[in-house]
Amino acid sequence: MNREIGHRTATLRNLTRGLILQQDASGAYLERIETVATKAKTLRPYVEKLITLGKKGTLHHRRQAFAILQDKEAVHRIFEDLAKRYANRPGGYTRILHTRRRMGDGVEMAYIEMIDRPVAAAPAASSEAEATANA
């Protein structure tokens, strides 16, 4: 990523927090962020190591995860929610979906998202479909 080590670590830490903690307006976790494809490829093993620590679940592993992330809320979410979701999965917790070229500099953009993430149904779309079906 062509950054000094401290800047690279901070960038990966912030991207990981965004991936784990970003919420929509209703408070549901999105578990998906759009970033530059190179950053997404660099972020993938970083996030997967943290989830593997969460699956081990001991206090020692929680402290290791906190040393990496430095965010109690993100560590709690990894150990309580994500580790339980991926308990039977041996790896491959994230996927990268290449989307577009960014206007201006033409860099390739991509989504990085959690596998098997809960997708919230759009309540407005379902109520519109019911209204047209009833009419």
Side-chain angles (χ1 to χ4, degrees):
M1 291 186 337
N2 200 21
R3 289 175 164 80
E4 297 292 327
I5 187 70
H7 190 192
R8 184 179 326 123
T9 304
T11 301
L12 290 173
R13 189 177 293 145
N14 286 329
L15 286 170
T16 303
R17 277 192 217 125
L19 180 63
I20 294 170
L21 297 177
Q22 186 177 13
Q23 297 178 343
D24 63 3
S26 67
Y29 290 104
L30 296 175
E31 296 180 0
R32 178 182 197 177
I33 57 173
E34 185 179 25
T35 185
V36 176
T38 308
K39 286 182 185 177
K41 290 177 185 178
T42 306
L43 180 64
R44 180 183 229 168
Y46 193 82
V47 171
E48 296 203 3
K49 282 181 190 174
L50 288 167
I51 294 173
T52 302
L53 287 174
K55 285 173 58 176
K56 293 177 183 175
T58 65
L59 178 61
H60 175 66
H61 293 108
R62 187 178 290 262
R63 286 179 176 164
Q64 284 181 325
F66 183 76
I68 294 169
L69 271 183
Q70 297 179 358
D71 186 340
K72 286 183 183 180
E73 185 181 358
V75 171
H76 179 75
R77 180 146 158 70
I78 288 171
F79 278 74
E80 298 303 319
D81 298 338
L82 299 178
K84 290 176 184 171
R85 185 187 317 164
Y86 300 121
N88 297 324
R89 191 177 192 91
Y93 314 114
T94 59
R95 79 172 131 230
I96 297 173
L97 303 169
H98 298 274
T99 56
R100 62 186 172 92
R101 294 243 174 223
R102 185 165 60 192
M103 294 293 289
D105 61 356
V107 71
E108 187 175 3
M109 299 296 288
Y111 282 112
I112 181 167
E113 64 183 16
M114 306 301 285
I115 300 287
D116 300 332
R117 68 190 176 98
V119 180
S126 62
S127 63
E128 288 175 14
E130 290 173 10
T132 56
N134 293 337

